[in-house]
Amino acid sequence: MALRKIFREFMKKRVLSPPLLTARHCSSAAATKNPHSAKKGRLLTGATIGLVIAGGAYVSTVDEATFCSWLFSATKLVNPFFALLDPEVAHRLAVSAAARGWVPREKRPDPSNIGLEVWGRKFSNPIGLAAGFDKNAEAVDGLLALGFGFVEVGSVTPVPQEGNPKPRIFRLPWEGAIINRCGFNSEGIVAVAKRLGAQHGKRKLDETSRNPSSSTDEVKHGGKAGPGILGVNLGKNKTSEDAAADYAQGVHTLSQYADYLVINVSSPNTPGLRMLQGRKQLKDLVKKVQAARDEMQWGEEGPPPLLVKIAPDLSKEDLEDIAAVALALRLDGLIISNTTVSRPDPVSKNPVAVEVGGLSGKPLFNLSTNILKEMYVLTRGKIPLIGCGGVSSGREAYQKIRAGATLVQLYTAFAYGGPALIPQIKVTRVYAFLGRAFSVTRLQRMLLSISGGSSVGKYFGRG
């Protein structure tokens, strides 16, 4: 059977592949010090692999949907091993695994009632991966294959930079949170442009070879990253004195590969960056970046939408200023929000809370969602908003949408939960959380007001 062949290939790649050998070598020093622990570790690993093989042998005999579901569920077995590694090492391995295709591929199509169209782009679902995971666009295809409706890479700086000294990522597992002070570690726009260009060319070649007689409309379903949508998040170099020039350089180099662009002015880990959120500074910056984009030659699709990512640590006056700039300059969207420098309970009681950096994860949810609600009111529903911060379930994704978000992003929950989290969020029926007092019709009207009558309502259109 075809599924058995797929399973054999899967096991060759994932179970008998170099990453496991690499992980084994990485732990060799510890094994020398504690042979009994190493023996237990090998037994545990062997038992896990045995269970995976036995389970896979069974499910490979059933239909493809069941097999796919099993593959995603099986990734939960790997999460404890990643938790034992240094956070940055685990992150590096996860990106490498996705880049090499050592992750499950979502074969089950998204239900049509969760698809939507924003900025003229068709999203198969509203759940995306936030910037910060794939900083250098190494794993776009692998991440989209996991079932995300869109993936945002970056932040990308004009010139390569190492970022802040290590250690710079700290886990707070009991709180479902992470503190990071990476500081825009990036390989630079040239390296990212080469990588995206190569991926784009390969993708177009594959599409042409698979569909030699297909129409242009069929080939362009989704975005520039094939069936999924690709966002590129732009940052400035730490030592740069001209932020606008840095962002304009990113636009000139990377916009041809992006379905949308993001000006990141809200990372707390680059000195002076958040000052660009002031009314005058933001207005001057956005005007220059828009000019850089609009001076380029574009085809029928036009230039990529331009968004700004803001911080959650803003006053009411700050939010009013940002909304005024967004409306006056007809900004295409806002991402709400980045990490917070605050330490809300229960994080404040954790010794790790003293670490400098931005906090992400569950403790950020309420703060970022309140900012989202306020910005929706201030922009009068005229600008698409992407809700980001603390999303770890279908219920929370729905709460973001109800607060005014057109799309939703996650990151920290994905770092903890792995690939199995994505289908769990998507299959959660939002109707389960509507409640008796909140009608579907009322919800549809609210969502349609956000998108100006686009197909956002389809997300709730059929049960």
Side-chain angles (χ1 to χ4, degrees):
M1 290 176 65
L3 285 172
R4 288 175 180 169
K5 292 181 179 178
I6 293 172
F7 177 74
R8 282 197 294 270
E9 290 300 315
F10 170 80
M11 294 310 301
K12 284 179 184 177
K13 284 184 178 181
R14 294 164 177 73
V15 177
L16 305 177
S17 58
L20 284 180
L21 298 176
T22 304
R24 186 175 174 181
H25 291 313
C26 288
S27 61
S28 60
T32 304
K33 294 179 182 178
N34 193 345
H36 296 293
S37 176
K39 185 176 180 181
K40 288 181 180 178
R42 285 195 296 271
L43 288 172
L44 180 61
T45 302
T48 301
I49 293 173
L51 287 171
V52 170
I53 294 173
Y58 168 72
V59 297
S60 64
T61 63
V62 297
D63 62 279
E64 189 174 64
T66 303
F67 181 63
C68 189
S69 176
W70 176 85
L71 287 180
F72 275 86
S73 296
T75 62
K76 295 178 183 179
L77 298 172
V78 182
N79 294 344
F81 297 105
F82 276 87
L84 297 174
L85 301 173
D86 171 82
E88 197 148 359
V89 172
H91 180 200
R92 183 67 250 159
L93 285 175
V95 173
S96 297
R100 289 164 173 77
W102 296 332
V103 291
R105 297 182 67 87
E106 182 59 85
K107 299 291 186 180
R108 298 160 294 182
D110 288 324
S112 60
N113 63 340
I114 67 169
L116 68 161
E117 185 173 323
V118 190
W119 309 305
R121 277 78 174 161
K122 294 181 179 179
F123 291 72
S124 63
N125 70 75
I127 308 300
L129 179 62
F133 185 85
D134 188 7
K135 288 177 176 288
N136 298 301
E138 300 171 74
V140 175
D141 290 341
L143 293 171
L144 285 171
L146 287 171
F148 285 112
F150 62 109
V151 167
E152 190 176 308
V153 300
S155 294
V156 188
T157 57
V159 179
Q161 63 179 29
E162 291 294 325
N164 293 322
K166 299 177 183 178
R168 55 194 180 186
I169 302 176
F170 307 91
R171 295 189 184 106
L172 296 87
W174 293 108
E175 292 83 5
I178 289 174
I179 294 173
N180 94 83
R181 52 170 179 261
C182 291
F184 284 170
N185 50 310
S186 171
E187 293 180 8
I189 57 175
V190 174
V192 171
K194 287 181 179 178
R195 196 168 284 131
L196 287 177
Q199 293 170 6
H200 185 72
K202 181 179 180 298
R203 197 177 298 115
K204 285 297 181 184
L205 185 63
D206 290 345
E207 287 173 352
T208 304
S209 61
R210 283 198 307 266
N211 305 294
S213 60
S214 295
S215 68
T216 306
D217 290 338
E218 289 173 327
V219 172
K220 289 194 295 189
H221 174 73
K224 294 181 180 178
I229 301 295
L230 174 64
V232 176
N233 186 299
L234 305 174
K236 68 175 284 290
N237 282 110
K238 183 177 182 178
T239 58
S240 174
E241 296 181 1
D242 190 344
D246 277 17
Y247 291 112
Q249 192 175 349
V251 168
H252 286 150
T253 309
L254 298 172
S255 58
Q256 61 183 311
Y257 307 115
D259 291 303
Y260 69 89
L261 296 166
V262 181
I263 304 173
N264 188 347
V265 291
S266 52
S267 169
N269 303 313
T270 297
L273 186 70
R274 288 191 167 188
M275 292 176 63
L276 296 173
Q277 295 174 115
R279 187 170 189 147
K280 183 181 183 304
Q281 297 91 328
L282 185 62
K283 185 175 182 180
D284 291 344
L285 175 63
V286 171
K287 287 174 72 174
K288 289 176 181 177
V289 178
Q290 284 178 330
R293 177 196 63 177
D294 296 342
E295 70 187 10
M296 299 174 68
Q297 297 293 322
W298 299 103
E300 292 181 4
E301 291 183 352
L306 187 65
L307 290 73
V308 170
K309 186 168 186 174
I310 67 173
D313 311 304
L314 296 169
S315 66
K316 178 70 178 293
E317 185 180 355
D318 292 332
L319 294 175
E320 290 172 350
D321 287 344
I322 291 171
V325 171
L327 290 170
L329 298 182
R330 297 184 178 180
L331 200 62
D332 296 299
L334 293 167
I335 299 180
I336 305 167
S337 67
N338 214 317
T339 57
T340 179
V341 294
S342 68
R343 299 292 184 264
D345 289 335
V347 172
S348 60
K349 299 177 177 64
N350 192 310
V352 181
V354 299
E355 294 291 346
V356 175
L359 173 73
S360 62
K362 290 182 179 180
L364 177 59
F365 181 79
N366 289 335
L367 177 61
S368 61
T369 305
N370 289 335
I371 296 292
L372 174 65
K373 288 178 184 175
E374 191 136 8
M375 188 56 73
Y376 172 71
V377 173
L378 291 170
T379 56
R380 303 190 293 277
K382 293 183 177 181
I383 297 174
L385 306 177
I386 298 180
C388 181
V391 176
S392 60
S393 67
R395 174 187 288 272
E396 289 162 344
Y398 162 69
Q399 286 178 295
K400 291 285 188 186
I401 292 172
R402 186 168 173 177
T406 304
L407 301 166
V408 177
Q409 287 181 325
L410 55 141
Y411 178 0
T412 301
F414 176 63
Y416 280 118
L421 180 67
I422 307 164
Q424 287 175 12
I425 290 178
K426 289 194 295 183
V427 301
T428 301
R429 294 271 180 167
V430 294
Y431 291 124
F433 309 117
L434 286 175
R436 298 290 182 186
F438 197 85
S439 71
V440 176
T441 304
R442 181 181 165 196
L443 178 61
Q444 287 176 330
R445 285 201 300 269
M446 184 189 76
L447 290 173
L448 288 171
S449 71
I450 299 172
S451 62
S454 75
S455 58
V456 174
K458 288 182 182 178
Y459 188 46
F460 298 93
R462 292 185 293 275

